[in-house]
Amino acid sequence: MSDRLNQTHRHRPAGAAPSRARPQGRQQPPLASLQAAAGNRAVTTAIQRAAGTAAQRATGTAVQRAADTAQLPGTEAHDLEITPVTETGRPGDEARRVEDATAGRQEAVDDVAAAKTKVSDASRARADAAAEVWTWSGTAAEARKKETAARGRAQELEGEVGAAERGQRESLEEAQEFTGRANAATERQRGSLEAATRHGETEEQKGAAARAAREQAAGFTREAEAAEKKRKAAEDLVAVLSATIADARKSQAEAEERVRRFTRQAEEAAAELKAADEAARAAGATEDKAQEQAAEAEVEAESEEQFAQSMRKRTVELAQALKGAKGAREEAQEKGEEAEGAGASRAKAEEDQEEAARLRDEADRSARESADLAEKLDREARVATEAREAAEQAAARHEGDAKDAHSKAEKARAEAAAYAKTAGDKQTERDAALARATEHGQEAAEARQRAAVAAQGQLGQGATESTARTTLAAAKETKKKAEEKAAEEKAAGEKAAEKKAAEKKAAEAVAKTGGSARNGAARAADGAGHAVKKASAKTKPWADVPDTAALRVTAPPGGVYSAEAAKHGDTGTVRANVFQQNVENPINLVSDATGTVNDIATIKEAAGKRHESGPASHGHRKNWVGKPLGLATNSQMAANDVLKIANTGTKTAGDVAGVAALGDAGGALTISFSALVAARDTVVIKNTHAQRKELKDHFRGVAAKRDRKLQDVLNDLGTETTGLAQASSSLGNSLDGPDPKALEEIERRRTRIDGLRTELLEHMASAREYAVHKKKWKLGHRFANLTGNLARIAAGAVAIAAATGAVTGGVAPGVAGGLTAGFLGGLAAKKGVKKANKRYISVRQPDRYARTTLAQEGTEEAKEPETSEASRMSKDGTSRRGRRRDAWKEALTVSHPVKQGKRQLRAQEIYAVAAGPAVPVGKDVPDDIRREARDFLKALKCGPEHHNQKPEEWEASLNDPDQQKDWEEAIAKQLASL
């Protein structure tokens, strides 16, 4: 018989294991040939092991390996080679057959382990190569961009150098031109200054002559003014004399007029006197008649008197007129003489006036001539001034032009120097840019070469991985058949051995019968314990519902009414409450007792498994630490229930007051287990706050979105990663540089991959938000639970006080019991409704939280709850919908856990991103995102320290496809504990 078939997993001779060199991607044969060879080996090995005769296995005939069996390149003979079968044995020896079957099964197990190792190594190498392809293709693309940018910059700088050189030449030409203009302007300035000097001299000469002429004209003007003054004096004298003559003549005329007037007056007075004399004579002639008119004489006497007075007055006036006429004639004579003298003086004054006028006219003429000369000289001086000023302005303008030209020339020379410096700098920068372009080109070429090598390695390792997976599938099938065959052989061997032992060893059978009885008793005890554990686990969910209703709904008001009734001596109400307690207390005891049994079973299981390692082991260690507190709490609550039952029994027997000691003990137990729970909640609140803060730091800055299924994202990522490898594999083939189309394809693939990576991170951010939200609600629940237990501690204290008689009435029990029922009952009701809603959704909307990633190979998806009718499609045809009555039925079935809910979906997605490349669901996840997801796992308390593993063992478990289900369950449990 083959020596290798005798080798078991525990008894393999040293050095017997064939060396399995790690296959290299570039040395692998085509994938189709590898798959065909692996399939042939698996099938022929299964046939050989399943159809071999008993004689071959019994005689130990060696099974020779076929010389022409296909082998994997780079390895020794494979475990699954086709071996010839020979018929040279003898029948019999069932024990040997069993041993051979066991050895064959162990060999199949070893083959599966070896195939898993190869799959793991190949997948790890493929993932590393994919990471290198991503890194080096990115480096190559970035280097190419930098090279292109550097060369573009070099060309741009070359243009700038040419522009700077042209600017330098143009600036030098402009400097020369402006220098010539400056020299010409300087010459023109010099001529203008000379002309200004000449015109200045002329201006001075003409100005001096004009000033002399003006001085002469001023002298003549002064003379004319003096002559004019003399003329004016003579004229004034003439005027005065003329006025004097006129006055004299006027006075003379007036005197003559007075003479004439006085003469007229005298003539008139003489005429009047003459008339008066005539009248007097006429009056004497008529004197005779006067006597006749005696009567009238008296009347006329008065008028005669008046006439006499008038005559006298006229005589005086005549005398005065004569005198005035005489004086007037004298005055007229004097005035005439005066006028004659004034006439002589006026004639002399007129002669002086005429002389002064002549002198004035001569002086005016000379002044005008001098003024005309001065004006002429002034005009000539002004012309000279204008010419000088124009020359000076021209000189200033030429000077400005010269300065401007010099300035522009200096500026042009400075610009030429700046252009020269710029040209030098740009030339240096251009050389540096060309050097960078060359460096980036070399870097890009190296990166392309490495990306090509990595891509070829990725494709090769991918083929190796596919071959190894095919081999693993065949090995698993062989293992399954070998296990079935070994079980059959073992059953047949045990049957035959038992038959022969019954015939030959009766005495041993008696002893064995006793031992079997003892073993049977032990098995019966184990079976009973298992049955109790199973029954307790099923009973607990159903008992919790009436237990919560009794504790939080009926008991608080019942206790208040009972206390009030006892205070007022109402024994009827007290007895009614006793009957109520007889119903409630057993319900409480069943719930607490089943909880105690469950805690004991959990602690027992944890005690045996707490030293294990792996995803499932964390729960055992957690139970080993936390369940004793739960056991203490539940056991004290059960003991309290027993005390309440005993006390209620006493009340039922007739003593409605009960036993004070039992009341004290019950209150103390209530305080005890409530304090334990409150202390635990305090610690949990502190730790939960810290964990929530830590969880929020993961995937920071990434939007939490789930636009499509995660498996679709992973599939697209795998397709694009393979496409990137295929596009990158040709980068190192061309000596003339990469194909632009290949580079464009790589850039397109990388852009698509980058978008898929973002989607992957968004899924993880969604999982983070779920975990953070769970932490938030956990804090709220723990605060409510802490408050309720503090109220329950107060209720226990009130119970003790009531038992001793220190407190009577229902106020204190009502407040404490109400707070306890409000917080703890409200929290329990919320949890119950939430769980019922999850169960309802699992039937009503089975696709709402359906798995979005690949399940573990060889396992079934979570089964839907059985319904009387198949699920129907929704109105929009996008999802299934169960019947409403089936959903309500499932919601009310409190013992049914939700097999596939939101928490399980999040756990599956977290594992899919954190799993190793050997796991089908995680084979396309980029390494950096996988590392971030594993850090998130550690924050969820799924790290190596929680799984009792070293970091490398922890990573190996994540890379083991057979542990996918365990990992998903472990992550889901951690999410549940949040």
Side-chain angles (χ1 to χ4, degrees), residues 194-528:
E194 292 176 356
T197 302
R198 290 195 303 273
H199 291 304
E201 293 175 355
T202 302
E203 177 188 4
E204 291 178 358
Q205 292 175 359
K206 297 297 182 179
R211 286 192 296 275
R214 280 194 295 273
E215 291 177 357
Q216 187 177 3
F220 287 129
T221 300
R222 287 191 297 274
E223 291 178 0
E225 290 175 353
E228 179 66 18
K229 288 179 180 180
K230 290 180 179 180
R231 186 191 66 77
K232 284 183 177 182
E235 184 179 1
D236 293 339
L237 181 60
V238 169
V240 171
L241 294 175
S242 296
T244 302
I245 292 172
D247 292 339
R249 288 179 178 176
K250 183 177 181 182
S251 299
Q252 183 181 0
E254 291 176 351
E256 290 177 351
E257 180 65 23
R258 285 195 301 273
V259 170
R260 286 192 295 271
R261 189 175 66 250
F262 288 134
T263 300
R264 278 193 311 271
Q265 291 177 355
E267 290 177 351
E268 291 176 356
E272 290 178 355
L273 287 174
K274 184 177 179 180
D277 288 335
E278 292 178 353
R281 282 191 300 273
T286 61
E287 186 177 357
D288 292 334
K289 292 179 179 182
Q291 289 178 0
E292 294 176 355
Q293 298 177 354
E296 295 175 3
E298 291 179 2
V299 177
E300 295 177 357
E302 183 177 356
S303 56
E304 290 179 357
E305 180 67 24
Q306 291 177 353
F307 179 76
Q309 289 178 357
S310 176
M311 288 300 292
R312 286 192 297 271
K313 181 179 178 182
R314 290 176 180 171
T315 302
V316 173
E317 289 178 356
L318 177 61
Q320 289 177 350
L322 293 175
K323 184 180 181 179
K326 180 180 181 180
R329 281 193 296 272
E330 291 176 357
E331 184 180 356
Q333 186 177 359
E334 290 176 359
K335 294 295 183 182
E337 294 175 355
E338 184 180 351
E340 290 176 0
S345 298
R346 185 181 67 178
K348 180 68 170 70
E350 287 177 352
E351 291 177 359
D352 292 340
Q353 180 181 358
E354 290 175 358
E355 181 65 20
R358 185 183 61 78
L359 293 176
R360 182 199 63 191
D361 293 339
E362 290 180 358
D364 286 338
R365 186 175 56 255
S366 299
R368 283 194 300 271
E369 291 176 356
S370 297
D372 293 339
L373 179 60
E375 184 177 357
K376 178 181 178 183
L377 293 174
D378 282 338
R379 285 196 302 271
E380 292 177 354
R382 282 196 297 272
V383 171
T385 300
E386 291 175 356
R388 177 184 60 78
E389 290 177 352
E392 288 178 351
Q393 291 176 358
R397 186 172 61 255
H398 293 317
E399 182 181 7
D401 293 341
K403 289 181 179 179
D404 184 57
H406 279 301
S407 176
K408 290 182 178 179
E410 291 296 329
K411 183 178 180 181
R413 281 191 288 272
E415 288 179 354
Y419 280 126
K421 184 178 182 303
T422 301
D425 294 341
K426 296 297 182 182
Q427 184 67 33
T428 303
E429 191 175 352
R430 171 180 171 275
D431 296 339
L434 289 175
R436 286 196 303 272
T438 303
E439 180 181 353
H440 291 313
Q442 294 174 353
E443 181 182 352
E446 181 182 359
R448 287 193 297 269
Q449 188 65 30
R450 291 196 177 189
V453 172
Q456 293 168 5
Q458 177 185 347
L459 297 175
Q461 293 296 344
T464 303
E465 182 183 358
S466 299
T467 303
R469 290 187 184 276
T470 304
T471 304
L472 176 60
K476 286 183 177 180
E477 184 65 25
T478 303
K479 175 186 174 184
K480 180 179 179 181
K481 292 180 178 180
E483 288 176 347
E484 293 175 354
K485 186 64 177 177
E488 294 175 0
E489 295 292 345
K490 183 178 180 181
E494 289 178 353
K495 186 176 181 181
E498 289 176 0
K499 184 177 181 180
K500 291 181 179 180
E503 295 175 353
K504 295 181 180 181
K505 299 181 180 179
E508 294 179 3
V510 175
K512 187 176 294 185
T513 301
S516 298
R518 287 190 296 270
N519 293 336
R523 285 195 298 271
D526 291 340

Side-chain angles (χ1 to χ4, degrees), residues 584-641:
E584 294 172 346
N585 292 337
I587 295 174
N588 300 149
L589 179 60
V590 170
S591 177
D592 296 334
T594 53
T596 302
V597 172
N598 291 342
D599 289 339
I600 293 173
T602 303
I603 292 172
K604 181 180 178 182
E605 182 182 9
K609 297 181 178 181
R610 70 181 187 276
H611 298 299
E612 294 179 356
S613 61
S617 65
H618 179 217
H620 300 310
R621 283 184 296 277
K622 186 176 180 181
N623 291 335
W624 177 253
V625 174
K627 284 301 179 181
L629 180 61
L631 175 61
T633 303
N634 284 321
S635 60
Q636 291 183 45
M637 293 172 71
N640 187 30
D641 295 334

